[in-house]
Every structure is written in structure tokens, then in C-alpha cells.
Amino acid sequence: MPVADRVSKGDVIAFRLAAHHLDERLGEGGLLDAAGKCGIQNSPPGSALLALHARVRNLTQEQVADAVAKEKSLLQTWCMRGSPFYFPATDAPVFTTGVLPPTEEAMRHLVVGVEPALDKLGMGLRETVGLAGAEIHDVLSGRRLAINELGVEIATRIARRLPKRQRDVWEEDGPYAPGQPLGEGVVHFCVRILALQRVVCFAPRVGNKAPFVLVDEWLGHPIPDIDPELARAELLRRYLRCYGPSTRGDFASWAGMHPGDAGSWWNLVGDELTQVEYGGTSWILTEDLDALRSAPAPKGVRLLPPGDPYAQMRDRETIVDRKYHREVWRMVGQPGTVLADGKITGTWRSRKSGRKLALTITTFGSLPERDRVSLQGEAEQVATLRGASSVDVAFGTH
């Protein structure tokens, strides 16, 4: 493989910001392009709308809702890191088959927490997913069920198929939730794999429920089959276009897999990569070297939601000083982030009361007046997307 020279932090920030369409918003009609770059996480619920808005001009809640529910051009399902993601329906093989590990061991690593239960049952993950898959069409056909409802019905059906010893373990209290049988918890893990096997996806949220539906019923056709190696290779290319230069370990962390399993993706595109020096040895798609060297210096501000794709880079020091990491990436109650010229320079939170939105921006240092004015405009757009008629913006510093 060809070896390139050291690249600067400025080069990397400019390259990634352009790849995420955060240097300049896409024009109207850019919704699917923005969603297809590396998927858009929708956790917490509603964050995907704000992430898409940060990338597409004049985006409305109605446009996204229509793309999901009417046009069916935007699909939502469990994806990287076991989180719900939006992506174009035409790219579904990349974000389903492309995420699914090829081995039993790697699949267990992807759905962390299932192994003790499977060991107690004396069952394999593929076996258990097969049992759930055999029941899910009868259970879900013509219906929309949230994970708890779906888990109860499938677990009850599987229990009837098991020999007594396994059935007794299947029906005993499990470790995953109070009062939840072990088998029902295992089914929840199986549904994650069934999502990657293109069996189920999410229908639009209703209140606090995120209901599952059968993919072929929802779209009117199944997601096409694709060679798994082609899908995995394309997923890695999309990752590198948004987060390169990068490493196997960082890719594994982004995808939610064990670092030792990343070779099933990385080895497929080895001849397409160039080594560069950025915080150690990293890799980038050779075809992106010119873009890495020539991306314009980033300018402008955005209010990014919790879980925004740009903040999912694993080399966090690139965009945030280490001393602020705990403020940005909280285990619980993660805030939105303030993006200024490619770097995260603060956090934000909002509270809606009736038709009014109170939005608090807390920066890591002094804020230029031009950025304060721009953030006020961004806050007004966020308020509109949240269904508020006015917004009160308060500024502070950490």
C-alpha cells in the first residue's frame, strides 16, 4: 500500500466536516444524501430530525415524516451499536447486511449481554435467532408491536418448542429487567439480529412506543439480497469517508463490535487504503487523499443533537479538548453540542413549555459575537422543528 505523509488536525477536521455536509448545508432535496453518508442515529428519539436539519436547508418535520411513512424512502431500524438509525431505503443492504457479523462469535460480541443467558440455556445465538425468526412472521404480520409486546409473544411461542429443561430456564426470571423471564430478554437480543437480517424495521413512533413491523410488509417488497462481503466493504468505505483517517479499532468501536472482529470488514478493502500519520498510524481511502489535502477551512456554526454522527468519531480529541469530554459524552442525559468552525465549543439543552422553547447554550470559552448571532438563528430553527412558536436563548460558560 502507498504511504502518505503526516496530516494535520486542520486537514482532518475540514475533510470530515465536508463529508458530513456540515460545512455547507445541502439544498432542498438533499435529505437522502445526508442520511446515506453514514446513517443518522435517532437516539434519543427525535435527534435524527435535528441532525438532518443541520445538514439540509429548510428541512421540515413534515418532509422527514413523509419520507418515512408515505414515500418509504427513509428507513429506520436497529443498526450500529444496537441503536436506531435512519438511512435511505435504497441503501438498506449496507446498513443491515453490512453491519451483521459473519460468525456466531462476532454476533455474540455485537449483542453484548446475551452470552450468559445462552450459556445457561445451552443454546447458540444463531439457533435462538432461528427460533425467533420462525415465529416472528406469524406474530407480526399485519401488526405493529413495540419490543416488549413482541418479546412476550415470541418468547411464549418458543417456550412451547423447547424440551422441559430448557423451557424451565427459559421461563425463569432473567437478569435483564425486573419480572422479565430470561427467554423474553433473549428474544430482545434476537430481534436486533433479525433487524440486521432485514426481517423487521421500525414504523413511525406513536407516543412512547417505537413499534416494529415486517420489512417486506412495510416497504411492499423485501430488501434485496446482496453479497455480505460487498455490503461490509461498502459500510467500511462510508465510515472512512466520514471519519477517516481512522483505524480498525476506531471502526470497531463506531460499529459496536469487538476490535478483534473488525478484520471481516477491514481486510475486504485493504488494497483501497493509504496509510497516513495522524495521532499514530491511520488509514484513509486512497481516492480521498486529494480531498483530505484540499478541503477548505471550516466556517460556521450548528446546534447538533445528542448522538449526532459528527460527534460519533472515536478520536474525540480531534474536535474537543479532553478536559471537556465528560461534559459532551455523558453516560446518561447527553446534551446537544455547539459546533463552531468544525470543533465542538460547548453544549446545549432545551426545555419546551407549551409553545415556548427555552434553550440554554453553555460554551467552553468566550463566544464571538458573530457566532452568538448565528446560534440565535439556529436556535429559532430548532424551535420550529420542535413545534414551538418562540425560543428564549440563554448563554453561559462552563
Side-chain angles (χ1 to χ4, degrees):
M1 298 179 190
V3 179
D5 296 330
R6 186 183 304 274
V7 295
S8 70
K9 181 183 289 189
D11 287 338
V12 172
I13 289 175
F15 171 75
R16 293 180 184 176
L17 200 74
H20 283 264
H21 298 302
L22 289 170
D23 56 341
E24 184 176 352
R25 281 184 167 97
L26 292 163
E28 295 182 32
L31 170 61
L32 297 184
D33 188 13
K37 287 296 182 177
C38 52
I40 301 288
Q41 184 173 322
N42 193 35
S43 176
S47 59
L49 175 63
L50 298 183
L52 289 165
H53 159 262
R55 293 158 170 80
V56 182
R57 283 199 302 272
N58 302 322
L59 187 69
T60 67
Q61 189 173 24
E62 291 72 26
Q63 287 173 332
V64 175
D66 285 350
V68 173
K70 292 183 179 180
E71 301 162 12
K72 308 290 178 70
S73 58
L74 197 63
L75 193 67
Q76 183 182 197
T77 194
W78 270 337
C79 197
M80 284 79 70
R81 305 182 299 278
S83 297
F85 273 75
Y86 280 116
F87 46 79
T90 53
D91 290 338
V94 175
F95 293 103
T96 54
T97 304
V99 180
L100 185 64
T103 68
E104 164 92 11
E105 182 181 17
M107 279 203 299
R108 286 186 178 220
H109 292 158
L110 189 71
V111 286
V112 177
V114 72
E115 287 195 80
L118 293 177
D119 291 344
K120 192 170 185 178
L121 285 161
M123 299 172 71
L125 181 57
R126 288 186 187 275
E127 174 191 3
T128 314
V129 171
L131 290 171
E135 303 290 350
I136 199 164
H137 286 85
D138 286 344
V139 170
L140 202 50
S141 182
R143 305 171 73 191
R144 301 184 183 190
L145 296 177
I147 184 62
N148 288 336
E149 300 164 326
L150 187 59
V152 168
E153 293 199 30
I154 292 178
T156 300
R157 285 170 168 254
I158 290 176
R160 299 172 189 150
R161 295 183 171 212
L162 300 176
K164 185 178 186 306
R165 186 199 68 79
Q166 285 183 323
R167 185 168 64 250
D168 288 345
V169 176
W170 185 266
E171 293 178 338
E172 71 181 31
D173 284 349
Y176 304 114
Q180 182 189 68
L182 180 142
E184 187 182 323
V186 169
V187 168
H188 288 204
F189 289 104
C190 291
V191 173
R192 292 189 180 188
I193 300 298
L194 290 170
L196 299 180
Q197 290 179 343
R198 313 183 311 279
V199 176
V200 296
C201 65
F202 285 111
R205 195 175 186 88
V206 179
N208 291 325
K209 287 188 177 182
F212 282 96
V213 290
L214 295 173
V215 167
D216 54 358
E217 288 187 353
W218 178 251
L219 294 179
H221 57 80
I223 294 172
D225 286 329
I226 186 173
D227 183 326
E229 290 194 351
L230 293 178
R232 292 200 298 274
E234 180 58 22
L235 180 74
L236 178 54
R237 291 188 194 102
R238 296 196 188 198
Y239 168 80
L240 289 170
R241 289 183 189 125
C242 288
Y243 301 102
S246 191
T247 65
R248 290 188 188 212
D250 283 352
F251 168 68
S253 179
W254 173 81
M257 66 183 69
H258 191 280
D261 298 329
S264 296
W265 284 258
W266 204 267
N267 296 338
L268 298 173
V269 299
D271 59 355
E272 301 175 32
L273 304 180
T274 290
Q275 178 181 330
V276 298
E277 289 300 315
Y278 178 67
T281 300
S282 298
W283 304 89
I284 192 166
L285 291 169
T286 303
E287 65 182 28
D288 287 339
L289 271 174
D290 288 344
L292 176 63
R293 296 291 190 186
S294 61
K299 295 181 180 180
V301 300
R302 297 285 191 279
L303 291 176
L304 302 182
D308 187 271
Y310 189 71
Q312 293 300 328
M313 64 180 71
R314 308 332 258 186
D315 51 343
R316 294 171 169 175
E317 290 81 3
T318 298
I319 54 172
V320 186
D321 190 299
R322 180 179 290 274
K323 65 184 177 182
Y324 298 120
H325 284 192
R326 290 187 177 181
E327 299 293 336
V328 174
W329 290 285
R330 293 177 176 268
M331 292 297 293
V332 179
Q334 194 174 119
T337 53
V338 178
L339 184 71
D341 300 338
K343 295 183 179 181
I344 291 177
T345 59
T347 61
W348 67 274
R349 296 183 182 276
S350 64
R351 185 180 70 257
K352 188 181 177 188
S353 178
R355 296 276 291 168
K356 295 182 179 180
L357 186 72
L359 195 148
T360 302
I361 295 174
T362 309
T363 59
F364 300 144
S366 60
L367 188 68
E369 182 60 26
R370 68 177 185 279
D371 287 351
R372 186 182 293 261
V373 172
S374 297
L375 287 170
Q376 177 71 41
E378 291 288 317
E380 290 170 359
Q381 295 178 55
V382 167
T384 299
L385 289 171
R386 294 281 306 275
S389 57
S390 64
V391 60
D392 180 21
V393 182
F395 291 93
T397 57
H398 280 282

